[in-house]
């Protein structure tokens, strides 16, 4: 069974104006990313998904990316970094749970 994974970013929330701890002020600062991870087994034509949201740390805006310049790839990088801080709920664990869901759909 070959499983592929695809991130969707259906919504991003911003703060209109935010000043960080170093007194950097920026506009339209991303603070929440809503996500959906879809796992697909093309061989068996089965897919499952999981979704959630993460809060982005806005305490240091020195590497700020303007909202209109944030790409899907950048948003995914931020949310993967957030989850990978947690050994029990990292991206690999999330994908393994989706794999088990697919296996149960194929063989209930």
């Amino acid at each position: 069974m070959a499983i592929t994974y695809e991130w969707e970013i259906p919504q991003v929330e911003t703060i209109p104006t935010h000043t960080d701890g170093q007194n950097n002020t920026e506009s339209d600062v991303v603070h929440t990313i809503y996500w959906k991870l879809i796992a697909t087994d093309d061989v068996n034509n089965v897919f499952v998904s999981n979704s959630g949201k993460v809060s982005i740390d806005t305490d240091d805006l020195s590497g700020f990316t303007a909202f209109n310049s944030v790409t899907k790839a950048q948003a995914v990088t931020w949310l993967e970094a957030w989850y990978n801080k947690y050994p029990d709920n990292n991206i690999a664990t999330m994908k393994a749970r989706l794999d088990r869901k697919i296996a149960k759909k194929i063989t209930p």
Side-chain angles (χ1 to χ4, degrees), residues 77-99:
T77 297
W78 291 339
L79 74 92
E80 286 182 342
W82 190 91
Y83 276 102
N84 284 332
K85 294 186 295 188
Y86 305 100
D88 294 335
N89 195 29
N90 60 28
I91 300 302
T93 303
M94 195 180 301
K95 287 179 177 179
R97 279 194 297 266
L98 292 171
D99 293 352

Side-chain angles (χ1 to χ4, degrees), residues 10-62:
Q11 182 179 349
V12 175
E13 292 181 356
T14 62
I15 302 168
T17 303
H18 178 69
T19 303
D20 70 6
Q22 292 75 39
N23 213 26
N24 297 312
T25 300
E26 299 290 353
S27 298
D28 289 330
V29 177
V30 173
H31 71 90
T32 304
I33 299 173
Y34 292 82
W35 59 267
K36 183 176 187 177
L37 181 58
I38 303 166
T40 304
D41 176 348
D42 289 329
V43 173
N44 294 292
N45 199 28
V46 175
F47 72 92
V48 295
S49 65
N50 194 14
S51 60
K53 68 179 182 176
V54 296
S55 297
I56 303 302
D57 183 6
T58 59
D59 292 338
D60 181 2
L61 298 177
S62 60

